[in-house]
Amino acid sequence: VQLQASGGGLVQPGGSLRLACTASGFSLDYGVMGWFRQGPGKAREGVSCISRRLGSTYYADSVKGRFTISANNTENVVYLQMNNLKPEDTAIYYCAAEPTVEPQTLCLGAPRFGSWGQGTQVTVSS
């Protein structure tokens, strides 16, 4: 399984970014994909995860109402639209995947697959 995360950058507080994760060797028809992040001096946390098969999502409390996760209908690509970004959203964002059913199982657990060696940096600063 290979996961490729992209779309990070530098943005001012209140700005927006859209991340994309492309999977190969993994199908959203049989599992869940999502996003984790690790900020400076912080533990890694599950941000948002999605089950395309169930049409269900999970969001961490810290991003509810600001971030929206979505999945391509035919390809194994997951997006994270991040609006109203805050300095505390600054982190390296990683893509993850798990052959499970519920999105929260991925976001609250230890993913079997992740782009840990290749994340995308999001920096929110004025």
Side-chain angles (χ1 to χ4, degrees):
V1 174
Q2 290 190 326
L3 302 169
Q4 179 88 23
S6 63
L10 171 64
V11 65
Q12 292 185 341
S16 299
L17 284 172
R18 188 191 194 208
L19 307 183
C21 174
T22 302
S24 58
F26 183 87
S27 173
L28 274 166
D29 291 336
Y30 304 107
V32 173
M33 288 179 64
W35 293 92
F36 282 67
R37 69 184 180 186
Q38 187 163 19
K42 298 181 181 179
R44 188 175 69 194
E45 66 169 336
V47 175
S48 183
C49 296
I50 186 168
S51 167
R52 186 173 67 189
R53 182 170 57 165
L54 298 180
S56 59
T57 57
Y58 167 89
Y59 293 96
D61 288 343
S62 57
V63 305
K64 282 181 181 177
R66 300 188 297 121
F67 291 10
T68 302
I69 192 169
S70 61
N72 185 285
N73 286 334
T74 56
E75 299 177 347
N76 297 308
V77 181
V78 170
Y79 304 97
L80 186 68
Q81 178 67 42
M82 305 185 295
N83 297 329
N84 190 21
L85 282 160
K86 303 176 180 181
E88 51 264 42
D89 295 317
T90 295
I92 300 176
Y93 284 70
Y94 301 95
C95 182
E98 185 75 27
T100 188
V101 177
E102 298 288 343
Q104 57 264 35
T105 301
L106 170 60
C107 266
L108 298 178
R112 186 175 307 184
F113 306 111
S115 65
W116 313 126
Q118 183 267 317
T120 186
Q121 176 72 48
V122 172
T123 302
V124 185
S125 175
S126 55

